[in-house]
Amino acid sequence: MDQLVQFNPNAASYLKDIDPKLWVTAFYAGPYYGHKTSNVVEATNKVFKEQRELPVLDLLNTIWHYVMEERFERYTQACALYPQIHTPYGYEALVQNQRWAKSNTVQISTTTSGVITQNNHRTFCVDLWLRTCDCGHFQKNGIPCGHAFTLIQALQACINSHPQPRDYMPYFFTTLAWQHTYHYNLKAVSLDQLAAGSNTGEDFGSIVAPKKERKAMGRPKVKRMVAGESRRHIAKAQAVLNNSEIAPVRGAGSQSCTHCGEYGHNRRRCGKL
């Protein structure tokens, strides 16, 4: 932490404001618990905040038509920008990076590489062939950064090929790619057009009582089992966390307590409850 304070005080202050127990959550090999909701799920819940209380069929119908309308709206936006080569995001990034290139100086090495110097005397190596820059912004999304702009503008005055910044833009930032993405849309469906029955003669509109099932004994599990993890892997991670010995998979002493994580007893016989 002392080395981090010297290297980046803002990063050290950011970590100190976070509970230290959460620092190693991403590297913990045991079972996960707590709030692990992704941003995609949070965004979906926000959009369908009211509709998610609907019945299953109505909810699926709402999601279907919402996605259908959104895709068509984006397709019409792409068609309206057809004379423009790049999407609004790509075009704005090019304009912004071009502003950063005005105050830089360049030393050309080859027709695709050079060294760019800023006003603060920091230097960055740019390779247009590999689409890389020492600043890291060029390879982040493929859009030429301000240093790449400086090299391209210098090459335009030196060679006859006259390279353009748009020549190094990725294809997926073009309006043509935007149109192709949303060209094929979902088909419009209606709940009234669903079949009234199936091959077995059952009526979908009739009310069917739920199947009677016996309730499982014990408390329901709340911990999520990560896909691909075996019980042996989880037991090993818990043993490392508790600084205890790893018990054999089978035989005496292989039983672990779900409360304290130690081996040789279960939750009922745990002395730490």
Side-chain angles (χ1 to χ4, degrees):
M1 182 60 70
D2 295 337
Q3 296 178 358
L4 182 60
V5 171
Q6 297 177 0
F7 179 75
N8 193 335
N10 294 331
S13 177
Y14 173 78
L15 287 178
K16 290 179 180 179
D17 294 338
I18 302 176
D19 188 359
K21 296 180 181 179
L22 304 178
W23 289 0
V24 295
T25 303
F27 306 97
Y28 178 59
Y32 287 98
Y33 63 93
H35 188 74
K36 301 289 289 185
T37 309
S38 62
N39 292 335
V40 176
V41 177
E42 291 290 350
T44 304
N45 290 335
K46 181 180 179 181
V47 174
F48 303 104
K49 184 177 181 179
E50 299 178 356
Q51 291 80 359
R52 62 185 180 181
E53 303 296 336
L54 297 174
V56 175
L57 190 59
D58 295 333
L59 174 61
L60 294 177
N61 184 58
T62 302
I63 296 175
W64 181 277
H65 287 91
Y66 176 83
V67 175
M68 182 183 66
E69 292 179 356
E70 288 292 324
R71 289 182 63 89
F72 181 75
E73 182 179 354
R74 297 185 183 185
Y75 177 71
T76 54
Q77 293 177 0
C79 293
L81 295 173
Y82 177 72
Q84 184 175 322
I85 299 177
H86 300 104
T87 61
Y89 174 82
Y91 179 77
E92 182 63 26
L94 285 175
V95 174
Q96 184 69 20
N97 293 337
Q98 188 178 11
R99 297 172 184 171
W100 285 97
K102 294 181 179 180
S103 58
N104 298 334
T105 59
V106 59
Q107 292 177 319
I108 301 177
S109 174
T110 63
T111 56
T112 59
S113 62
V115 179
I116 312 301
T117 305
Q118 297 182 160
N119 289 337
N120 57 0
H121 305 292
R122 293 186 60 185
T123 58
F124 299 87
C125 296
V126 179
D127 193 323
L128 298 178
W129 178 260
L130 299 177
R131 287 176 167 78
T132 59
C133 179
D134 290 346
C135 69
H137 292 283
F138 197 174
Q139 51 267 38
K140 181 178 68 174
N141 51 18
I143 300 177
C145 59
H147 308 111
F149 253 95
T150 304
L151 179 59
I152 293 173
Q153 292 174 354
L155 291 174
Q156 290 176 353
C158 298
I159 59 179
N160 297 327
S161 60
H162 297 290
Q164 298 294 331
R166 61 173 178 267
D167 299 336
Y168 300 94
M169 287 284 291
Y171 169 74
F172 46 80
F173 283 120
T174 61
T175 55
L176 185 60
W178 198 6
Q179 291 181 20
H180 290 169
T181 302
Y182 299 103
H183 178 70
Y184 297 99
N185 199 357
L186 302 178
K187 294 183 178 180
V189 296
S190 176
L191 295 180
D192 298 335
Q193 297 177 358
L194 295 178
S198 62
N199 297 332
T200 59
E202 296 179 355
D203 186 6
F204 289 121
S206 60
I207 300 177
V208 181
K211 182 180 178 181
K212 294 183 179 180
E213 296 182 354
R214 183 179 179 182
K215 184 179 180 181
M217 297 179 61
R219 227 175 138 184
K221 295 182 179 180
V222 294
K223 289 187 178 181
R224 179 177 65 89
M225 295 293 294
V226 181
E229 286 188 345
S230 61
R231 285 186 170 273
R232 176 63 175 173
H233 184 67
I234 297 176
K236 183 178 179 181
Q238 291 178 346
V240 173
L241 183 64
N242 298 328
N243 296 325
S244 59
E245 297 183 358
I246 302 175
V249 181
R250 298 178 181 177
S254 61
Q255 187 181 30
S256 61
C257 178
T258 57
H259 175 68
C260 64
E262 297 180 358
Y263 298 94
H265 65 277
N266 54 17
R267 187 182 179 89
R268 295 180 180 178
R269 299 179 181 178
C270 182
K272 296 182 180 181
L273 287 175

